[in-house]
Amino acid sequence: MYSSHTLLHLGVLIVVVVASQMLDDCLSSNRKYTMNVVLLEDNTYQWSRRYVQAAVERAIEEDRKINIANKLNFSLTANYNGFNTTVYNRQGCGSSTCEGIAILKLLHSKNEVGCIMLGPSCTYATFQLVDEEIGLSLSIPIISAGSFGLSCDYKPKLTRLLPPARKISDFFLNFMNASFTFKPIWHHVYVYKKSNATEDCFWYINALEAPSANFASGSDREMLRGEEALEDALKSSERHSNIFILCGTSEDIISIKEKTKIPEDVMFILLDIYNPEYYVNSTSSPGMEDVLVVTLPQRNYDYNSNLPYNDTINDYVAGYHDGALLFGKVLRERMLSKQRNEKSPAFPSNTTPFGNVSFNGMGGHYVLDEYGDRDVNFSLIYTSATTGQYKTLFVFDTSLNETIVIDTNPSLHWKEGKLPGDEQNEQDKPGGLSMQDYIVIILSLSMVVVTAIALIFYRQNRKERLMQKKWSHINSQLIGPLDEKEVSLKIDEDKRKDSLYHIHRGCYDKKPVILKELKHTDGNFTENQKIELNTVIHHHQQDVYSGFFQKLRNFSI
């Protein structure tokens, strides 16, 4: 425990020293511009230049006032470089791979490289700048409001002011394994991947999809690629899970419900990270009853308000604004440190200068981890079944990977007022059987088995009764002497001579019978006796009645 704390403090010390070296170089170089702002200029993305430039200028002015209050005669400056992708078949971030490198080369040729690069937000563009194998050998750090992809994780000199995809993946892994009175542990989930996803949604879902990433190896997730796959999963009687993860807006939920009937035990987890609407209008939208929304906490800006530059603010614009404030804060602290003649030892510059920093900005309170990535408290919002209002159910702290319960007595839409389990209950399946059905089936099968056994015994007993009837016992008093004058038995003389037994004759029920001597007194025929008796019957063709006659010895008819 002690060694881990020691390493943590050493890491913070190295970050401070690296930041000091970078800032000392910037302050001593007397550069024309301190910030190079790089962004899209196609006016379709939320971080296009027409949204960003006014916000950055506002941050520069705010920083200047803070410097004056600290008696520092220094102001930030910026130049703006955009790339237009409208000439490409695939527009936007998908075509930005080489644009960031081209801009940086142009800045080098003009000798206008500043102390930091503010942007780009596109993962493809940023990756080409920061990758150690194929990227450029950067001499300045990058502060990005975006660059969400896993490929940009743990890159030296890259700071991300919006939660990267790694934080989303870690959130789901930990949240799924959390257990509360109204939330079971989940192992199985669906992940829905739209074809027209925004930049953030594309990389967030990509982190859940990547086979080599933590989420794929730590959960049993099944990907749904396209609307048809989603509809089939919702209609299936053998669903992989009741939990459906998707990234988008409430309009996506409504669109899904217009096409498919949603089973009662299904729950959607909607990643709508950069939509502050849930705090502005607390009345839930129709169709959001079975949805758990994951979004950022309350911001410090007014959504849909008229700002001085007459444009709508959003988290990306706030990220550029707050990136300028972050750079100004760190630069100011270094200048004040130099005034106090505080020196730091030299260390290799191999990490971001903005790691382990916290500050306040337009986007709220920022906490950056040791890699310069933002940690947040994700809000998990549900629709109250009693009031129809949005309410915060959980808060997830990405710095601790901990789920915190906010509403301890929620009014949830699902059965028993609890979040549904990940696996489908048998009675909830179309055509499925309830517990009562299983009881009836088991009892019915038991009755069938008992009846079958009874019939088997009945048949066996019936056979025995027939045998007993065939070989029935006759009282010896009913056997009388045979009148030789009335009946004459014609027996072959040769057979008679060959017989080992003396044949006795008698009369029973006015009919002649042949009496067979028995060697036993228990009234049971042996197999040999039965064969001999049948032989007699076969030869004489008489009506024979089985029985017992006992005088001095036992006889059988």
Side-chain angles (χ1 to χ4, degrees):
M1 190 70 175
Y2 172 81
S3 59
S4 62
H5 282 297
T6 302
L7 291 175
L8 177 60
H9 291 309
L10 179 60
V12 174
L13 176 61
I14 293 176
V15 168
V16 172
V17 172
V18 171
S20 299
Q21 288 181 332
M22 183 275 298
L23 297 175
D24 288 343
D25 292 340
C26 178
L27 292 172
S28 62
S29 61
N30 193 25
R31 302 183 185 186
K32 184 177 180 180
Y33 299 102
T34 55
M35 296 185 296
N36 301 124
V37 183
V38 180
L39 36 71
L40 283 173
E41 276 191 308
D42 55 9
N43 295 328
T44 58
Y45 278 72
Q46 291 179 309
W47 56 86
S48 297
R49 179 170 177 175
R50 69 188 182 98
Y51 300 120
V52 169
Q53 184 168 349
V56 172
E57 294 297 331
R58 181 182 178 183
I60 290 175
E61 178 61 20
E62 291 176 14
D63 184 76
R64 185 185 71 83
K65 293 178 180 179
I66 298 175
N67 286 337
I68 293 174
N70 286 274
K71 299 180 181 180
L72 294 175
N73 186 20
F74 182 82
S75 296
L76 299 176
T77 57
N79 60 0
Y80 301 89
N81 299 273
F83 46 90
N84 195 321
T85 61
T86 56
V87 296
Y88 294 101
N89 290 329
R90 182 186 178 188
Q91 299 177 7
C93 281
S95 302
S96 66
T97 303
C98 301
E99 299 297 337
I101 293 178
I103 290 175
L104 187 59
K105 287 181 177 179
L106 180 62
L107 292 173
H108 271 289
S109 64
K110 294 182 178 180
N111 197 26
E112 293 183 353
V113 177
C115 298
I116 65 164
M117 180 179 288
L118 199 56
S121 293
C122 299
T123 296
Y124 288 130
T126 304
F127 175 73
Q128 297 296 326
L129 292 170
V130 300
D131 185 70
E132 296 176 346
E133 295 182 1
I134 66 174
L136 294 177
S137 178
L138 277 179
S139 58
I140 62 173
I142 294 178
I143 299 177
S144 174
S147 304
F148 304 105
L150 297 176
S151 58
C152 292
D153 286 345
Y154 315 120
K155 298 301 181 182
K157 298 185 179 178
L158 174 62
T159 299
R160 295 183 286 187
L161 298 185
L162 297 179
R166 184 181 80 254
K167 302 290 184 180
I168 296 294
S169 175
D170 291 344
F171 153 68
F172 274 113
L173 277 178
N174 289 275
F175 180 64
M176 287 172 58
N177 288 313
S179 176
F180 303 98
T181 55
F182 49 84
K183 181 203 172 292
I185 294 176
W186 298 324
H187 300 288
H188 313 276
V189 294
Y190 281 114
V191 179
Y192 173 48
K193 185 175 184 178
K194 298 193 303 181
S195 57
N196 56 341
T198 57
E199 174 74 358
D200 58 309
C201 283
F202 177 85
W203 293 109
Y204 287 161
I205 297 299
N206 177 267
L208 306 182
E209 178 186 22
S212 60
N214 292 337
F215 184 76
S217 60
S219 67
D220 185 7
R221 64 103 176 93
E222 185 172 315
M223 296 300 301
L224 301 174
R225 298 176 177 87
E227 293 183 3
E228 184 176 349
L230 175 62
E231 293 176 8
D232 290 343
L234 289 169
K235 295 176 182 177
S236 174
S237 60
E238 299 291 338
R239 287 194 303 275
H240 172 73
S241 174
N242 290 326
I243 314 302
F244 288 74
I245 299 173
L246 69 157
C247 185
T249 65
S250 58
E251 294 178 357
D252 293 307
I253 298 294
I254 295 173
S255 176
I256 293 170
K257 293 188 173 182
E258 287 176 348
K259 301 175 183 177
T260 310
K261 182 180 179 181
I262 309 301
E264 293 182 355
D265 55 347
V266 161
M267 184 183 77
F268 294 98
I269 300 180
L270 176 65
L271 292 172
D272 198 0
I273 305 296
Y274 305 109
N275 184 2
E277 181 180 352
Y278 303 99
Y279 302 106
V280 177
N281 182 10
S282 61
T283 301
S284 176
S285 301
M288 295 293 287
E289 297 81 10
D290 51 1
V291 181
L292 197 62
V293 180
V294 183
T295 189
L296 287 178
Q298 186 72 47
R299 284 70 156 179
N300 289 340
Y301 61 82
D302 294 329
Y303 183 58
N304 283 340
S305 63
N306 292 325
L307 295 175
Y309 40 87
N310 197 29
D311 271 320
T312 300
I313 194 71
N314 57 65
D315 289 305
Y316 293 97
V317 173
Y320 275 92
H321 173 278
D322 297 339
L325 291 183
L326 170 63
F327 177 60
K329 167 187 168 61
V330 175
L331 195 61
R332 180 169 50 256
E333 290 176 352
R334 180 53 187 158
M335 294 174 70
L336 293 173
S337 177
K338 289 187 69 174
Q339 287 182 357
R340 294 189 294 265
N341 294 322
E342 296 177 356
K343 294 183 180 180
S344 300
F347 280 85
S349 178
N350 59 357
T351 187
T352 174
F354 303 108
N356 293 314
V357 174
S358 62
F359 68 102
N360 291 314
M362 187 181 291
H365 182 67
Y366 289 82
V367 177
L368 305 182
D369 64 15
E370 63 269 32
Y371 305 106
D373 291 334
R374 184 180 181 183
D375 275 315
V376 296
N377 290 333
F378 285 126
S379 297
L380 281 76
I381 298 174
Y382 77 102
T383 298
S384 172
T386 55
T387 65
Q389 301 289 308
Y390 288 126
K391 298 187 67 177
T392 301
L393 182 60
F394 301 106
V395 164
F396 184 84
D397 186 350
T398 62
S399 65
L400 302 174
N401 284 328
E402 180 181 352
T403 302
I404 304 168
V405 178
I406 302 301
D407 191 346
T408 57
N409 188 26
S411 176
L412 298 172
H413 163 79
W414 297 272
K415 292 180 180 179
E416 300 179 358
K418 299 179 180 180
L419 298 177
D422 56 347
E423 294 185 294
Q424 188 178 9
N425 295 326
E426 291 295 327
Q427 59 266 30
D428 294 330
K429 294 181 180 180
L433 301 176
S434 63
M435 184 59 68
Q436 290 78 5
D437 295 330
Y438 281 113
I439 294 174
V440 171
I441 291 175
I442 292 173
L443 291 176
S444 300
L445 289 175
S446 301
M447 292 294 295
V448 170
V449 172
V450 171
T451 303
I453 294 174
L455 288 174
I456 292 173
F457 280 108
Y458 173 77
R459 289 181 61 85
Q460 290 179 347
N461 294 334
R462 182 172 179 270
K463 183 177 181 180
E464 290 180 1
R465 288 195 302 272
L466 290 175
M467 292 296 295
Q468 290 176 359
K469 184 176 180 181
K470 185 176 181 181
W471 301 96
S472 59
H473 294 275
I474 300 176
N475 194 318
S476 60
Q477 297 178 355
L478 299 178
I479 305 296
L482 180 66
D483 189 353
E484 298 290 345
K485 297 179 180 181
E486 296 179 359
V487 179
S488 178
L489 296 177
K490 296 180 179 181
I491 303 175
D492 188 280
E493 192 66 24
D494 295 334
K495 297 290 183 182
R496 192 172 184 178
K497 292 179 180 180
D498 294 338
S499 175
L500 297 177
Y501 300 95
H502 180 72
I503 297 177
H504 300 274
R505 293 172 293 178
C507 181
Y508 172 72
D509 194 21
K510 299 181 181 181
K511 297 179 182 178
V513 296
I514 297 175
L515 305 180
K516 177 71 173 68
E517 182 180 356
L518 297 178
K519 294 182 180 181
H520 305 285
T521 60
D522 57 1
N524 294 326
F525 289 109
T526 65
E527 289 296 325
N528 291 334
Q529 290 173 337
K530 291 178 182 180
I531 294 173
E532 292 172 1
L533 182 59
N534 288 331
T535 302
V536 173
I537 295 172
H538 175 72
H539 284 298
H540 301 290
Q541 301 293 320
Q542 298 292 327
D543 291 332
V544 180
Y545 290 83
S546 299
F548 297 100
F549 174 69
Q550 182 169 0
K551 208 168 185 180
L552 296 175
R553 61 184 64 175
N554 295 321
F555 291 93
S556 173
I557 298 176

